[in-house]
Amino acid sequence: MLTINQSKNEKYAIYDDRTMMSTKKESPTGVSLDTKQTQAIQNLDGPMLILASAGTGKTRTLMAKVAALLDSSVPTNEIMLVTFTNKAANEMKSRLIAMEYDIRDMWVGTFHNICNRILRDNYSKIPGLNSKYTIIMPDDCLKNIKLIIKNMELEDDDLKPKDALEIISFARNAMQYDPAHKFLDNIEYSIADVIESKFPKHQEYIKLIQKIHSEYHAMKLSNNVVDFDDMLVYALYILYTNEAVRQKYERQFEYILVDEYQDTNNVQAALIRQLRKNNSNITVVGDEAQAIYEWRAATPGHILGFRYAFEGTRIIILTQNYRSTPQIINAAIASINHNTIRLEEKQMNATLDDGELPTVSIHANIYDELESIADQIYAHIKNGTTPNKIAVLARTFQMNRVGIHHVLGRRLLSYGIQYVVFGGNDLFDTKHMRDFIAFLELTYNPQNMIAWERILGILPGIGPKTAKTIISHLQNEPGKRLIDIPLKGAKTKESIRLLDNALTEAKTRAQQPNASMMDYLEPFLELYKLSPLAKEEDYKIRVKELEETMKELNDMPIDEFLHEVQLKGINKANKANVPDDHVTISTIHQAKGLEWDVVHIAGCNEDILPHYRSIMGENVVDDSVERENKDESDIMIGTNPIEEERRLFYVAVTRAKKILKLTMSETTPWGEPLSPSRFVLEVHETDPNAFKFDSSDFFSM
């Protein structure tokens, strides 16, 4: 059994949660590894559950455990470290490198990254998939679902493509895989189950959605592409149906560590169990009080049931909070302990000095509320707070259809205050980058007709009808050259000739030793400058972004580039490197894992936080709100809706380090009355001194 000598503790103690530097000095918080954190790294073998409340040094403890394994002579290629975001994976890699470990052979990444590696090594186990497969992006998934539904010529349009895709994705992540059934049968059973339990208003469409999935599955295989859900489901299928492959990975990884285990869905949890059938060296870290993704098929049941899934589990509970003042911690505990889905009552001990009481303020309507928040932010900045240490969080950007980021943003800009909105697109989601990625796809995976459609769409003289004709020829006559396709129109023929030349040039360059990403970009830009897009005002800016990005990634192999940048699409929020002069506006979901000195929680009203659908207890859809304007928190409500909403409130409160301000409104913009959030009332009932109210009329609302 591996153990760690107590004298080694000094090395791990120097790594604090809020610093990216390794130093021999005491950490900035004034503490080393505390007693509970030390227990987590003294026992390296066997199953361990580390319950880490908000701000208790989760990442530091996890990194210390990895370091302890490496110092006990465990080879890096025998360790798998699984995270839930690319940001977390990159941060952990940086920390280990700063601690002077060579981790090139360690598997560190999200579930999707890990599963994609398994799939790349075992693609032949999936009938119809070949080694050149690439990843289809979410908007292209929806586009193809729309096409499938359109071709079915339904009598009515009650089934929206976005609903169908949402149900299919949820069903695949929530499914219980049974090797006794055929692969597609498992998904069909899961679709029926989740519609009946989660999407009851779509019960009449069960067979139709199953058929849509079947055609969607066939479409992906014909294009040799996989979507994000495929990576998880295919990897699980491979481990279930190929015992030799499963044993290979179980033997390879002597130790597996999983971060944010409360966010696992059924497929992810089953993957971990498959990799730990005969080896119980598994450490998971999480906090059931921060399980806020049931709408994405995650369930806190996996972290709550971990000790039953892995016999002999040691449970370590981290209780020292290094982030927030005692007053903020008190409010968080007074709220979350109203939940019944938990291992035990929440306990946290503050290490920071006393601070201000969290305040609760009431405003006439939501417009007044948001303007007041902007006024307070201006005051914070005038008093010396750096803007990027301030955040405004909300359950949803809609806030009774006002649009918090628009109203608040306008007010902030009137003060000359810049802001970022978490949830926006990053560089790899921009049109020019997606066009270049489509060009790369055609040099690497010419079976991908989705990429053909995209690249043909940027060329002059090629409309949707002509593009369809070209794609039909390519599908029916594999290997046929573009210039041999019979087409009409001089402009069309010239565009096809130029595209054929660009692809040929890129493929020729790719055969040369030390081929680089610039070898693909240059032929693309020759084509791109002939596109109508070249006449647009920001064309030169787009080209410069492409050139600078490719220079940074110049040595990356094309297959690695395609898989890595497409996997970035899972995490939409660009949460790194917020400029010092920018305030953050974010949904609570997107704020998870982050922290600020000053946090404003807007919309602390019933029907907003908690969301009105959680109160109703059913998955109704408000069709009066345009669906494309909804953020991720509007998709659906989980199995235990009020408890998940309370966990959201807890997450929001625990983002604050020094100052916490909660705001609410008396009415909607249309004069409809609003009530205070039950979560604010619960905290006050538990501890009447937890909040400072700005109005004596609060309890008359």
PDB file of all heavy atoms in Angstrom, residues 85-113:
ATOM      1  N   THR A  85     -14.103  20.576 -17.044  1.00  0.00           N
ATOM      2  CA  THR A  85     -13.947  21.657 -18.011  1.00  0.00           C
ATOM      3  C   THR A  85     -12.519  21.677 -18.514  1.00  0.00           C
ATOM      4  O   THR A  85     -11.592  21.237 -17.823  1.00  0.00           O
ATOM      5  CB  THR A  85     -14.270  23.036 -17.400  1.00  0.00           C
ATOM      6  OG1 THR A  85     -13.291  23.349 -16.394  1.00  0.00           O
ATOM      7  CG2 THR A  85     -15.675  23.076 -16.799  1.00  0.00           C
ATOM      8  N   ASN A  86     -12.340  22.190 -19.722  1.00  0.00           N
ATOM      9  CA  ASN A  86     -10.988  22.362 -20.248  1.00  0.00           C
ATOM     10  C   ASN A  86     -10.195  23.330 -19.387  1.00  0.00           C
ATOM     11  O   ASN A  86      -8.985  23.179 -19.207  1.00  0.00           O
ATOM     12  CB  ASN A  86     -11.063  22.884 -21.688  1.00  0.00           C
ATOM     13  CG  ASN A  86     -11.569  21.830 -22.655  1.00  0.00           C
ATOM     14  OD1 ASN A  86     -11.076  20.711 -22.665  1.00  0.00           O
ATOM     15  ND2 ASN A  86     -12.552  22.174 -23.458  1.00  0.00           N
ATOM     16  N   LYS A  87     -10.884  24.355 -18.871  1.00  0.00           N
ATOM     17  CA  LYS A  87     -10.215  25.345 -18.027  1.00  0.00           C
ATOM     18  C   LYS A  87      -9.606  24.664 -16.805  1.00  0.00           C
ATOM     19  O   LYS A  87      -8.451  24.921 -16.445  1.00  0.00           O
ATOM     20  CB  LYS A  87     -11.212  26.412 -17.597  1.00  0.00           C
ATOM     21  CG  LYS A  87     -10.657  27.461 -16.637  1.00  0.00           C
ATOM     22  CD  LYS A  87     -11.713  28.496 -16.297  1.00  0.00           C
ATOM     23  CE  LYS A  87     -11.192  29.527 -15.300  1.00  0.00           C
ATOM     24  NZ  LYS A  87     -10.981  28.971 -13.961  1.00  0.00           N
ATOM     25  N   ALA A  88     -10.378  23.787 -16.156  1.00  0.00           N
ATOM     26  CA  ALA A  88      -9.865  23.087 -14.977  1.00  0.00           C
ATOM     27  C   ALA A  88      -8.700  22.177 -15.345  1.00  0.00           C
ATOM     28  O   ALA A  88      -7.704  22.096 -14.610  1.00  0.00           O
ATOM     29  CB  ALA A  88     -10.988  22.287 -14.322  1.00  0.00           C
ATOM     30  N   ALA A  89      -8.817  21.492 -16.477  1.00  0.00           N
ATOM     31  CA  ALA A  89      -7.737  20.600 -16.909  1.00  0.00           C
ATOM     32  C   ALA A  89      -6.454  21.383 -17.152  1.00  0.00           C
ATOM     33  O   ALA A  89      -5.366  20.981 -16.715  1.00  0.00           O
ATOM     34  CB  ALA A  89      -8.152  19.856 -18.174  1.00  0.00           C
ATOM     35  N   ASN A  90      -6.567  22.517 -17.831  1.00  0.00           N
ATOM     36  CA  ASN A  90      -5.381  23.333 -18.121  1.00  0.00           C
ATOM     37  C   ASN A  90      -4.779  23.902 -16.846  1.00  0.00           C
ATOM     38  O   ASN A  90      -3.546  23.990 -16.712  1.00  0.00           O
ATOM     39  CB  ASN A  90      -5.751  24.457 -19.088  1.00  0.00           C
ATOM     40  CG  ASN A  90      -6.082  23.941 -20.471  1.00  0.00           C
ATOM     41  OD1 ASN A  90      -5.600  22.883 -20.882  1.00  0.00           O
ATOM     42  ND2 ASN A  90      -6.916  24.671 -21.196  1.00  0.00           N
ATOM     43  N   GLU A  91      -5.648  24.294 -15.911  1.00  0.00           N
ATOM     44  CA  GLU A  91      -5.149  24.829 -14.649  1.00  0.00           C
ATOM     45  C   GLU A  91      -4.378  23.763 -13.875  1.00  0.00           C
ATOM     46  O   GLU A  91      -3.302  24.029 -13.319  1.00  0.00           O
ATOM     47  CB  GLU A  91      -6.312  25.351 -13.806  1.00  0.00           C
ATOM     48  CG  GLU A  91      -5.886  25.965 -12.488  1.00  0.00           C
ATOM     49  CD  GLU A  91      -7.056  26.475 -11.673  1.00  0.00           C
ATOM     50  OE1 GLU A  91      -8.173  26.583 -12.218  1.00  0.00           O
ATOM     51  OE2 GLU A  91      -6.856  26.758 -10.478  1.00  0.00           O
ATOM     52  N   MET A  92      -4.902  22.547 -13.842  1.00  0.00           N
ATOM     53  CA  MET A  92      -4.228  21.481 -13.104  1.00  0.00           C
ATOM     54  C   MET A  92      -2.903  21.109 -13.760  1.00  0.00           C
ATOM     55  O   MET A  92      -1.903  20.845 -13.073  1.00  0.00           O
ATOM     56  CB  MET A  92      -5.158  20.278 -12.990  1.00  0.00           C
ATOM     57  CG  MET A  92      -6.345  20.529 -12.070  1.00  0.00           C
ATOM     58  SD  MET A  92      -7.400  19.076 -11.882  1.00  0.00           S
ATOM     59  CE  MET A  92      -8.732  19.779 -10.884  1.00  0.00           C
ATOM     60  N   LYS A  93      -2.885  21.090 -15.089  1.00  0.00           N
ATOM     61  CA  LYS A  93      -1.619  20.826 -15.776  1.00  0.00           C
ATOM     62  C   LYS A  93      -0.588  21.891 -15.417  1.00  0.00           C
ATOM     63  O   LYS A  93       0.572  21.573 -15.134  1.00  0.00           O
ATOM     64  CB  LYS A  93      -1.846  20.821 -17.296  1.00  0.00           C
ATOM     65  CG  LYS A  93      -2.593  19.612 -17.832  1.00  0.00           C
ATOM     66  CD  LYS A  93      -2.819  19.772 -19.337  1.00  0.00           C
ATOM     67  CE  LYS A  93      -3.686  18.665 -19.888  1.00  0.00           C
ATOM     68  NZ  LYS A  93      -3.983  18.878 -21.338  1.00  0.00           N
ATOM     69  N   SER A  94      -1.029  23.148 -15.427  1.00  0.00           N
ATOM     70  CA  SER A  94      -0.112  24.252 -15.119  1.00  0.00           C
ATOM     71  C   SER A  94       0.438  24.132 -13.707  1.00  0.00           C
ATOM     72  O   SER A  94       1.623  24.384 -13.451  1.00  0.00           O
ATOM     73  CB  SER A  94      -0.828  25.596 -15.290  1.00  0.00           C
ATOM     74  OG  SER A  94      -1.219  25.792 -16.625  1.00  0.00           O
ATOM     75  N   ARG A  95      -0.423  23.745 -12.778  1.00  0.00           N
ATOM     76  CA  ARG A  95       0.021  23.623 -11.390  1.00  0.00           C
ATOM     77  C   ARG A  95       1.062  22.516 -11.236  1.00  0.00           C
ATOM     78  O   ARG A  95       2.073  22.677 -10.544  1.00  0.00           O
ATOM     79  CB  ARG A  95      -1.172  23.351 -10.476  1.00  0.00           C
ATOM     80  CG  ARG A  95      -2.116  24.538 -10.355  1.00  0.00           C
ATOM     81  CD  ARG A  95      -3.187  24.283  -9.317  1.00  0.00           C
ATOM     82  NE  ARG A  95      -4.064  25.440  -9.169  1.00  0.00           N
ATOM     83  CZ  ARG A  95      -4.751  25.721  -8.082  1.00  0.00           C
ATOM     84  NH1 ARG A  95      -4.655  24.933  -7.029  1.00  0.00           N
ATOM     85  NH2 ARG A  95      -5.531  26.774  -8.026  1.00  0.00           N
ATOM     86  N   LEU A  96       0.810  21.381 -11.879  1.00  0.00           N
ATOM     87  CA  LEU A  96       1.748  20.263 -11.763  1.00  0.00           C
ATOM     88  C   LEU A  96       3.079  20.597 -12.425  1.00  0.00           C
ATOM     89  O   LEU A  96       4.150  20.243 -11.917  1.00  0.00           O
ATOM     90  CB  LEU A  96       1.133  19.006 -12.382  1.00  0.00           C
ATOM     91  CG  LEU A  96      -0.025  18.400 -11.576  1.00  0.00           C
ATOM     92  CD1 LEU A  96      -0.762  17.356 -12.394  1.00  0.00           C
ATOM     93  CD2 LEU A  96       0.487  17.779 -10.273  1.00  0.00           C
ATOM     94  N   ILE A  97       3.018  21.292 -13.563  1.00  0.00           N
ATOM     95  CA  ILE A  97       4.252  21.710 -14.232  1.00  0.00           C
ATOM     96  C   ILE A  97       5.012  22.699 -13.361  1.00  0.00           C
ATOM     97  O   ILE A  97       6.251  22.636 -13.242  1.00  0.00           O
ATOM     98  CB  ILE A  97       3.930  22.312 -15.610  1.00  0.00           C
ATOM     99  CG1 ILE A  97       3.424  21.211 -16.549  1.00  0.00           C
ATOM    100  CG2 ILE A  97       5.160  22.996 -16.208  1.00  0.00           C
ATOM    101  CD1 ILE A  97       2.840  21.725 -17.842  1.00  0.00           C
ATOM    102  N   ALA A  98       4.277  23.631 -12.721  1.00  0.00           N
ATOM    103  CA  ALA A  98       4.924  24.601 -11.824  1.00  0.00           C
ATOM    104  C   ALA A  98       5.559  23.912 -10.627  1.00  0.00           C
ATOM    105  O   ALA A  98       6.520  24.416 -10.043  1.00  0.00           O
ATOM    106  CB  ALA A  98       3.902  25.636 -11.355  1.00  0.00           C
ATOM    107  N   MET A  99       5.030  22.748 -10.263  1.00  0.00           N
ATOM    108  CA  MET A  99       5.609  21.974  -9.167  1.00  0.00           C
ATOM    109  C   MET A  99       6.744  21.075  -9.658  1.00  0.00           C
ATOM    110  O   MET A  99       7.219  20.202  -8.949  1.00  0.00           O
ATOM    111  CB  MET A  99       4.511  21.137  -8.496  1.00  0.00           C
ATOM    112  CG  MET A  99       3.441  21.991  -7.817  1.00  0.00           C
ATOM    113  SD  MET A  99       1.944  21.050  -7.367  1.00  0.00           S
ATOM    114  CE  MET A  99       2.502  20.179  -5.918  1.00  0.00           C
ATOM    115  N   GLU A 100       7.134  21.295 -10.945  1.00  0.00           N
ATOM    116  CA  GLU A 100       8.309  20.652 -11.552  1.00  0.00           C
ATOM    117  C   GLU A 100       8.112  19.166 -11.800  1.00  0.00           C
ATOM    118  O   GLU A 100       9.056  18.377 -11.692  1.00  0.00           O
ATOM    119  CB  GLU A 100       9.561  20.927 -10.719  1.00  0.00           C
ATOM    120  CG  GLU A 100       9.867  22.413 -10.596  1.00  0.00           C
ATOM    121  CD  GLU A 100      11.134  22.686  -9.807  1.00  0.00           C
ATOM    122  OE1 GLU A 100      11.717  21.726  -9.267  1.00  0.00           O
ATOM    123  OE2 GLU A 100      11.527  23.861  -9.724  1.00  0.00           O
ATOM    124  N   TYR A 101       6.886  18.777 -12.178  1.00  0.00           N
ATOM    125  CA  TYR A 101       6.629  17.398 -12.584  1.00  0.00           C
ATOM    126  C   TYR A 101       6.525  17.331 -14.100  1.00  0.00           C
ATOM    127  O   TYR A 101       5.937  18.215 -14.735  1.00  0.00           O
ATOM    128  CB  TYR A 101       5.339  16.872 -11.963  1.00  0.00           C
ATOM    129  CG  TYR A 101       5.421  16.681 -10.467  1.00  0.00           C
ATOM    130  CD1 TYR A 101       4.733  17.533  -9.604  1.00  0.00           C
ATOM    131  CD2 TYR A 101       6.186  15.659  -9.917  1.00  0.00           C
ATOM    132  CE1 TYR A 101       4.807  17.375  -8.234  1.00  0.00           C
ATOM    133  CE2 TYR A 101       6.271  15.494  -8.540  1.00  0.00           C
ATOM    134  CZ  TYR A 101       5.584  16.348  -7.707  1.00  0.00           C
ATOM    135  OH  TYR A 101       5.665  16.192  -6.347  1.00  0.00           O
ATOM    136  N   ASP A 102       7.072  16.271 -14.672  1.00  0.00           N
ATOM    137  CA  ASP A 102       6.930  16.017 -16.102  1.00  0.00           C
ATOM    138  C   ASP A 102       5.673  15.165 -16.285  1.00  0.00           C
ATOM    139  O   ASP A 102       5.658  13.976 -15.975  1.00  0.00           O
ATOM    140  CB  ASP A 102       8.163  15.275 -16.626  1.00  0.00           C
ATOM    141  CG  ASP A 102       8.094  15.032 -18.131  1.00  0.00           C
ATOM    142  OD1 ASP A 102       7.034  15.292 -18.735  1.00  0.00           O
ATOM    143  OD2 ASP A 102       9.104  14.575 -18.703  1.00  0.00           O
ATOM    144  N   ILE A 103       4.603  15.768 -16.794  1.00  0.00           N
ATOM    145  CA  ILE A 103       3.315  15.071 -16.869  1.00  0.00           C
ATOM    146  C   ILE A 103       2.896  14.772 -18.311  1.00  0.00           C
ATOM    147  O   ILE A 103       1.718  14.564 -18.594  1.00  0.00           O
ATOM    148  CB  ILE A 103       2.204  15.897 -16.182  1.00  0.00           C
ATOM    149  CG1 ILE A 103       2.069  17.271 -16.854  1.00  0.00           C
ATOM    150  CG2 ILE A 103       2.473  16.025 -14.694  1.00  0.00           C
ATOM    151  CD1 ILE A 103       0.823  18.021 -16.431  1.00  0.00           C
ATOM    152  N   ARG A 104       3.878  14.743 -19.221  1.00  0.00           N
ATOM    153  CA  ARG A 104       3.536  14.541 -20.634  1.00  0.00           C
ATOM    154  C   ARG A 104       2.782  13.239 -20.886  1.00  0.00           C
ATOM    155  O   ARG A 104       1.958  13.153 -21.793  1.00  0.00           O
ATOM    156  CB  ARG A 104       4.805  14.592 -21.491  1.00  0.00           C
ATOM    157  CG  ARG A 104       5.328  16.009 -21.722  1.00  0.00           C
ATOM    158  CD  ARG A 104       6.662  15.993 -22.431  1.00  0.00           C
ATOM    159  NE  ARG A 104       7.724  15.453 -21.580  1.00  0.00           N
ATOM    160  CZ  ARG A 104       9.003  15.391 -21.937  1.00  0.00           C
ATOM    161  NH1 ARG A 104       9.368  15.834 -23.130  1.00  0.00           N
ATOM    162  NH2 ARG A 104       9.908  14.914 -21.109  1.00  0.00           N
ATOM    163  N   ASP A 105       3.051  12.215 -20.096  1.00  0.00           N
ATOM    164  CA  ASP A 105       2.408  10.915 -20.311  1.00  0.00           C
ATOM    165  C   ASP A 105       1.155  10.710 -19.459  1.00  0.00           C
ATOM    166  O   ASP A 105       0.515   9.663 -19.535  1.00  0.00           O
ATOM    167  CB  ASP A 105       3.396   9.782 -20.013  1.00  0.00           C
ATOM    168  CG  ASP A 105       4.554   9.767 -20.999  1.00  0.00           C
ATOM    169  OD1 ASP A 105       4.352  10.208 -22.147  1.00  0.00           O
ATOM    170  OD2 ASP A 105       5.659   9.328 -20.618  1.00  0.00           O
ATOM    171  N   MET A 106       0.844  11.685 -18.619  1.00  0.00           N
ATOM    172  CA  MET A 106      -0.340  11.551 -17.773  1.00  0.00           C
ATOM    173  C   MET A 106      -1.593  11.893 -18.579  1.00  0.00           C
ATOM    174  O   MET A 106      -1.588  12.823 -19.383  1.00  0.00           O
ATOM    175  CB  MET A 106      -0.234  12.484 -16.563  1.00  0.00           C
ATOM    176  CG  MET A 106      -1.329  12.265 -15.518  1.00  0.00           C
ATOM    177  SD  MET A 106      -1.217  13.480 -14.163  1.00  0.00           S
ATOM    178  CE  MET A 106       0.391  13.077 -13.494  1.00  0.00           C
ATOM    179  N   TRP A 107      -2.672  11.157 -18.366  1.00  0.00           N
ATOM    180  CA  TRP A 107      -3.944  11.463 -19.009  1.00  0.00           C
ATOM    181  C   TRP A 107      -4.679  12.473 -18.129  1.00  0.00           C
ATOM    182  O   TRP A 107      -5.213  12.115 -17.080  1.00  0.00           O
ATOM    183  CB  TRP A 107      -4.775  10.201 -19.192  1.00  0.00           C
ATOM    184  CG  TRP A 107      -4.359   9.362 -20.366  1.00  0.00           C
ATOM    185  CD1 TRP A 107      -3.106   9.195 -20.853  1.00  0.00           C
ATOM    186  CD2 TRP A 107      -5.220   8.572 -21.196  1.00  0.00           C
ATOM    187  NE1 TRP A 107      -3.118   8.345 -21.930  1.00  0.00           N
ATOM    188  CE2 TRP A 107      -4.407   7.946 -22.165  1.00  0.00           C
ATOM    189  CE3 TRP A 107      -6.582   8.306 -21.205  1.00  0.00           C
ATOM    190  CZ2 TRP A 107      -4.912   7.093 -23.144  1.00  0.00           C
ATOM    191  CZ3 TRP A 107      -7.098   7.452 -22.173  1.00  0.00           C
ATOM    192  CH2 TRP A 107      -6.272   6.861 -23.140  1.00  0.00           C
ATOM    193  N   VAL A 108      -4.672  13.721 -18.553  1.00  0.00           N
ATOM    194  CA  VAL A 108      -5.362  14.789 -17.832  1.00  0.00           C
ATOM    195  C   VAL A 108      -6.339  15.443 -18.798  1.00  0.00           C
ATOM    196  O   VAL A 108      -5.938  15.923 -19.854  1.00  0.00           O
ATOM    197  CB  VAL A 108      -4.377  15.862 -17.306  1.00  0.00           C
ATOM    198  CG1 VAL A 108      -5.131  16.912 -16.490  1.00  0.00           C
ATOM    199  CG2 VAL A 108      -3.265  15.235 -16.492  1.00  0.00           C
ATOM    200  N   GLY A 109      -7.619  15.447 -18.454  1.00  0.00           N
ATOM    201  CA  GLY A 109      -8.580  16.073 -19.356  1.00  0.00           C
ATOM    202  C   GLY A 109     -10.008  15.855 -18.906  1.00  0.00           C
ATOM    203  O   GLY A 109     -10.280  15.181 -17.908  1.00  0.00           O
ATOM    204  N   THR A 110     -10.920  16.431 -19.671  1.00  0.00           N
ATOM    205  CA  THR A 110     -12.343  16.249 -19.385  1.00  0.00           C
ATOM    206  C   THR A 110     -12.768  14.837 -19.744  1.00  0.00           C
ATOM    207  O   THR A 110     -12.038  14.100 -20.428  1.00  0.00           O
ATOM    208  CB  THR A 110     -13.183  17.234 -20.208  1.00  0.00           C
ATOM    209  OG1 THR A 110     -13.018  16.921 -21.604  1.00  0.00           O
ATOM    210  CG2 THR A 110     -12.763  18.676 -19.960  1.00  0.00           C
ATOM    211  N   PHE A 111     -13.963  14.454 -19.309  1.00  0.00           N
ATOM    212  CA  PHE A 111     -14.502  13.155 -19.706  1.00  0.00           C
ATOM    213  C   PHE A 111     -14.495  13.027 -21.228  1.00  0.00           C
ATOM    214  O   PHE A 111     -14.180  11.967 -21.776  1.00  0.00           O
ATOM    215  CB  PHE A 111     -15.930  12.984 -19.177  1.00  0.00           C
ATOM    216  CG  PHE A 111     -16.002  12.332 -17.829  1.00  0.00           C
ATOM    217  CD1 PHE A 111     -16.255  13.085 -16.697  1.00  0.00           C
ATOM    218  CD2 PHE A 111     -15.819  10.966 -17.693  1.00  0.00           C
ATOM    219  CE1 PHE A 111     -16.328  12.488 -15.438  1.00  0.00           C
ATOM    220  CE2 PHE A 111     -15.889  10.356 -16.450  1.00  0.00           C
ATOM    221  CZ  PHE A 111     -16.143  11.112 -15.311  1.00  0.00           C
ATOM    222  N   HIS A 112     -14.860  14.103 -21.917  1.00  0.00           N
ATOM    223  CA  HIS A 112     -14.907  14.046 -23.381  1.00  0.00           C
ATOM    224  C   HIS A 112     -13.509  13.863 -23.970  1.00  0.00           C
ATOM    225  O   HIS A 112     -13.328  13.092 -24.924  1.00  0.00           O
ATOM    226  CB  HIS A 112     -15.568  15.309 -23.936  1.00  0.00           C
ATOM    227  CG  HIS A 112     -17.040  15.383 -23.669  1.00  0.00           C
ATOM    228  ND1 HIS A 112     -17.549  15.883 -22.497  1.00  0.00           N
ATOM    229  CD2 HIS A 112     -18.108  14.998 -24.415  1.00  0.00           C
ATOM    230  CE1 HIS A 112     -18.865  15.810 -22.533  1.00  0.00           C
ATOM    231  NE2 HIS A 112     -19.233  15.286 -23.678  1.00  0.00           N
ATOM    232  N   ASN A 113     -12.508  14.552 -23.410  1.00  0.00           N
ATOM    233  CA  ASN A 113     -11.133  14.372 -23.882  1.00  0.00           C
ATOM    234  C   ASN A 113     -10.661  12.935 -23.673  1.00  0.00           C
ATOM    235  O   ASN A 113     -10.077  12.323 -24.579  1.00  0.00           O
ATOM    236  CB  ASN A 113     -10.185  15.315 -23.141  1.00  0.00           C
ATOM    237  CG  ASN A 113     -10.356  16.765 -23.542  1.00  0.00           C
ATOM    238  OD1 ASN A 113     -10.648  17.605 -22.696  1.00  0.00           O
ATOM    239  ND2 ASN A 113     -10.192  17.092 -24.807  1.00  0.00           N
TER     240      ASN A 113
END
